[in-house]
Amino acid sequence: MAKKNTRNTKGKIISAAWKLFYDQGYDDTTVDEIVEESGTSKGSFYHYFDGKDALLSSLSFLFDEKYEELKETLQGDDSAIDQLIYLNQELFLMIENSISVDLLARLFSSQLITRGDRHLLDQDRTYYKLLRKILQEGQQKGELRRDLSINEIIKTYAMLERGLMYDWCLCNGDYSLAQYAKRVLPMMLAVYKDCDA
């Protein structure tokens, strides 16, 4: 039970912080405002985070919350590739609507210079577990190539998604991330289809 409360408190802080970052900008958001918005205490904030900068790596937590929500809506009769495209579209729409380009760019920057854990690459994240499940089922159904390991497919798929987000940041959000991915992702994922299926 304590773990759930811990996750709830941490989650409240993260959700409040990213809402404020989006609404008023990272630089104009204070720890006091985050604490007030989250309905937690300053002690709780500093229990989980060294400071506001530490929240930059927590964006993967928000992504995983979205994946937790989305995994309940996946259609089991859809192909593995259709499921990946669905997850991608929903996440990229969330990013476009609630994460500014500047914040996403800061996340990538923080992951590049961190000496600690790179949360985006944490294989225990919901993201990686969900990808593994979808891809294993796709291989079992004969939809996906078997000459590539699940780990190889996950690695290249995750790189592809990060690359799309990174390019969107480089272009300062001048185009719709979700619309662009909707157009190019099916072409890029076609390489994983089992040609005999």
Side-chain angles (χ1 to χ4, degrees):
M1 186 65 130
K3 187 173 184 181
K4 185 165 178 71
N5 289 336
T6 296
R7 185 164 174 87
N8 286 343
T9 301
K10 186 176 182 181
K12 284 179 186 177
I13 293 168
I14 291 170
S15 295
W18 285 96
K19 179 188 178 304
L20 289 169
F21 293 164
Y22 184 76
D23 290 344
Q24 59 194 41
Y26 177 82
D27 292 328
D28 293 329
T29 300
T30 66
V31 169
D32 288 336
E33 289 171 322
I34 295 168
V35 168
E36 183 179 333
E37 178 75 23
S38 66
T40 60
S41 68
K42 213 168 201 176
S44 292
F45 179 92
Y46 286 108
H47 175 74
Y48 296 110
F49 304 101
D50 293 334
K52 188 172 73 166
D53 288 348
L55 281 159
L56 288 174
S57 64
S58 69
L59 186 54
S60 59
F61 181 92
L62 284 187
F63 290 172
D64 279 353
E65 278 190 335
K66 183 68 175 175
Y67 287 121
E68 286 287 345
E69 173 189 317
L70 291 172
K71 74 180 180 182
E72 303 304 321
T73 64
L74 283 172
Q75 301 299 314
D77 52 347
D78 284 348
S79 72
I81 288 180
D82 286 341
Q83 290 182 54
L84 292 178
I85 291 169
Y86 168 74
L87 291 174
N88 171 271
Q89 282 297 287
E90 293 298 315
L91 182 74
F92 280 12
L93 285 169
M94 181 197 92
I95 289 170
E96 282 189 43
N97 294 320
S98 60
I99 309 292
S100 71
V101 172
D102 178 58
L103 288 173
L104 191 57
R106 283 180 189 248
L107 166 70
F108 283 123
S109 297
S110 74
Q111 292 291 279
L112 289 171
I113 61 172
T114 186
R115 294 179 193 267
D117 294 333
R118 289 187 167 86
H119 298 282
L120 286 178
L121 301 178
D122 182 356
Q123 297 296 307
D124 285 332
R125 287 184 50 213
T126 299
Y127 173 70
Y128 288 106
K129 291 176 182 176
L130 190 52
L131 290 182
R132 181 170 305 286
K133 179 181 180 297
I134 290 168
L135 294 170
Q136 284 174 335
E137 288 173 2
Q139 276 189 340
Q140 289 167 0
K141 292 178 187 175
E143 300 168 354
L144 301 175
R145 294 170 50 175
R146 293 177 186 264
D147 62 324
L148 297 171
S149 72
I150 297 294
N151 288 338
E152 288 174 294
I153 298 172
I154 288 173
K155 182 177 177 69
T156 55
Y157 177 76
M159 283 192 310
L160 172 60
E161 281 199 319
R162 286 192 308 269
L164 289 167
M165 288 186 282
Y166 182 76
D167 185 72
W168 187 65
C169 291
L170 281 177
C171 295
N172 203 27
D174 288 343
Y175 58 88
S176 168
L177 176 62
Q179 287 301 314
Y180 185 71
K182 187 176 187 177
R183 196 167 67 246
V184 300
L185 205 54
M187 292 184 288
M188 294 177 168
L189 293 178
V191 72
Y192 298 120
K193 286 185 180 177
D194 187 337
C195 297
D196 298 328

